[in-house]
Amino acid sequence: MLNIVIFGAPGSGKGTQSERLTNEYGLLHISTGEVLREQISQGTELGAIADSYISQGHLIPDDLMVNVLADVLDKNPEKTARGVIFDGFPRTIAQAQALNDMLAKRGTRVSAVIGLEVDEEDLIKRMLDRGRQSGRADDNIETIRERLVVYHRQTAPLRDFYVSEGIYLAIDGNGDIETIFRSIKASIDDIKG
Ligand code: AMP
């Protein structure tokens, strides 16, 4: 099984590259942001809670988020068979520990963490472009700035967590989509051996 965490700041290209990796390796793509946005558009109770955090640029509390992810994994046993791309999860050390436990219970583990490293001014530009094109509610300059603060405070420390586990693969996430995809693929093929 190939379980990949795609890691990086908001706007680093996690969603774009996850879609390509899904096609390339036949994995299940789980984007926790997408799962939450679907709940919001369906008007569920979870959606209402999620919206109150997302619209502020803040993270959904860990215990809630871990339950959401466990639920997605439980509902898709056959689709997770080849492996999963985790996009947007984990975002805190507590979530990373919970993910390790969840996968261990299922007899597997995180194979690699792809860290997309992108210059800050490019991140902001990409998110503003995306906001203009898709109308994504949290892609406005005020929320973007808060999401970056939250990223540096709560999520960036995960880099060291995964470096110490020996599974962090740094990828230069600046530049064009195809070149970035090729360097991700080369790193993954390397660990697959
Ligand atoms: P994304 O689509 O990954 O950029 O996520 C959009 C928003 O959903 C984030 O800014 C958070 O508010 C929320 N979110 C998504 N994934 C998580 C997570 N793993 N933990 C906490 N909040 C999350």
Side-chain angles (χ1 to χ4, degrees):
M1 261 173 102
L2 189 64
N3 294 308
I4 307 277
V5 169
I6 189 130
F7 177 79
S12 59
K14 298 190 293 294
T16 305
Q17 296 297 338
S18 293
E19 272 171 33
R20 295 183 161 229
L21 290 167
T22 306
N23 297 334
E24 181 75 22
Y25 296 101
L27 306 173
L28 175 68
H29 176 200
I30 302 179
S31 156
T32 44
E34 279 300 322
V35 171
L36 298 172
R37 281 188 288 278
E38 264 166 40
Q39 294 287 322
I40 294 171
S41 69
Q42 288 168 16
T44 64
E45 200 180 323
L46 170 61
I49 298 169
D51 194 26
S52 67
Y53 291 96
I54 293 176
S55 59
Q56 300 294 311
H58 295 153
L59 298 184
I60 277 73
D62 286 334
D63 48 352
L64 184 56
M65 214 51 236
V66 168
N67 285 336
V68 169
L69 184 73
D71 210 42
V72 177
L73 289 177
D74 287 341
K75 281 191 181 135
N76 294 283
E78 64 297 330
K79 288 195 198 149
T80 58
R82 294 188 64 171
V84 176
I85 300 201
F86 295 95
D87 163 10
F89 190 103
R91 267 180 154 98
T92 62
I93 302 270
Q95 289 182 17
Q97 283 161 342
L99 181 62
N100 282 354
D101 293 346
M102 269 188 266
L103 293 180
K105 262 190 222 140
R106 291 169 171 81
T108 184
R109 62 183 180 82
V110 177
S111 319
V113 177
I114 301 291
L116 294 173
E117 305 192 345
V118 180
D119 299 338
E120 191 115 341
E121 58 279 22
D122 279 358
L123 294 173
I124 296 173
K125 192 179 162 302
R126 287 184 193 181
M127 283 188 273
L128 287 174
D129 283 348
R130 184 172 64 187
R132 272 181 224 110
Q133 283 165 25
S134 73
R136 201 175 126 166
D138 56 350
D139 281 338
N140 61 77
I141 192 65
E142 221 172 84
T143 315
I144 288 171
R145 291 207 189 284
E146 185 59 21
R147 283 156 71 203
L148 287 171
V149 169
V150 166
Y151 170 77
H152 288 296
R153 193 167 49 216
Q154 292 180 267
T155 306
L158 273 177
R159 186 185 189 280
D160 285 346
F161 176 89
Y162 283 124
V163 167
S164 73
E165 292 207 341
I167 54 173
Y168 185 85
L169 303 169
I171 298 285
D172 181 357
N174 299 291
D176 68 285
I177 292 172
E178 195 51 43
T179 309
I180 299 164
F181 178 66
R182 274 201 297 273
S183 54
I184 296 175
K185 195 170 146 14
S187 302
I188 293 179
D189 290 342
D190 209 33
I191 59 149
K192 277 179 77 193

